[in-house]
Amino acid sequence: MSHQSEGEGSAPTPEELRVRIEHTREELGRTVEELAARTDVKAQAKEKAAEVKEKVAEVKERAAEAKVKAVEVTGQAKEMALEVTEQAKEKAAVLKEHAAEVKEQAAVRATLVGDQLREKAAEIEAKAPKTVRDGTEHAAAAARDHRGAVLVAAAVAVAALLLLRGNRRRR
């Protein structure tokens, strides 16, 4: 060993050699410990098992939290569904009630209009001469007897009117 100290050209002192030796021993001790740890498969397996166990515990904890959250969300969803169902029932009841009112009002108005039409018809009949009344009664009876022919004639008249309107628009 011909190590020289960095600053001097002479041989190292006994004190420097002791320091180097101590330093080398420490490095050698660490190296031996590292090699021993690497070759201790049982200890490595225990460490790995402990890590895996810890991760499994974390996953279980997260799963439990997720389960609790799912139960909460399911409960909230059920509550919301019940609320929406109740609101829909209430709305349906209100609409049903409103429809009944509208139906009743329509019936009243229909009765009024029917009464007014009968009054007007009676007035017109009273003002019409006897021959016109007889003619309208005869025409009404004929129309009742020949409904099919009256319907065909009405359909032809409507078709003719539509054709005439269509021709006017094209011009």
Side-chain angles (χ1 to χ4, degrees):
M1 286 186 162
S2 60
H3 288 285
Q4 298 177 352
S5 67
E6 294 175 22
E8 299 175 20
S10 64
T13 65
E15 186 59 33
E16 288 176 340
L17 287 175
R18 277 189 216 111
V19 169
R20 284 186 192 170
I21 291 171
E22 186 61 36
H23 180 67
T24 304
R25 282 184 184 157
E26 287 174 8
E27 282 184 27
L28 203 63
R30 282 193 296 264
T31 305
V32 168
E33 286 176 9
E34 287 178 20
L35 287 174
R38 288 184 190 171
T39 58
D40 191 358
V41 176
K42 189 174 181 180
Q44 289 178 0
K46 283 183 180 180
E47 282 181 34
K48 196 67 170 175
E51 288 175 15
V52 169
K53 199 173 188 180
E54 190 176 305
K55 286 183 181 178
V56 167
E58 288 176 16
V59 168
K60 283 183 179 180
E61 185 178 326
R62 287 185 190 155
E65 290 171 2
K67 186 176 180 180
V68 167
K69 190 71 171 174
V71 168
E72 288 175 6
V73 169
T74 302
Q76 290 172 351
K78 285 179 181 179
E79 287 176 18
M80 289 174 67
L82 288 173
E83 284 179 30
V84 168
T85 302
E86 191 61 35
Q87 289 173 357
K89 285 179 181 179
E90 290 172 7
K91 189 84 165 181
V94 169
L95 290 174
K96 185 177 180 181
E97 187 176 304
H98 182 68
E101 290 173 7
V102 169
K103 183 179 177 182
E104 186 177 317
Q105 290 172 357
V108 169
R109 288 184 182 156
T111 302
L112 289 174
V113 170
D115 291 345
Q116 290 172 348
L117 286 175
R118 279 188 280 286
E119 286 176 16
K120 287 289 182 189
E123 286 177 23
I124 292 171
E125 189 176 336
K127 290 180 182 177
K130 173 101 170 103
T131 56
V132 172
R133 280 184 274 165
D134 291 344
T136 55
E137 287 177 11
H138 178 67
R144 279 192 296 273
D145 293 342
H146 303 291
R147 283 189 183 162
V150 170
L151 289 174
V152 170
V156 168
V158 169
L161 283 172
L162 291 174
L163 285 173
L164 286 174
R165 283 182 96 188
N167 286 337
R168 285 185 189 164
R169 288 186 183 173
R170 288 185 195 145
R171 290 182 190 172

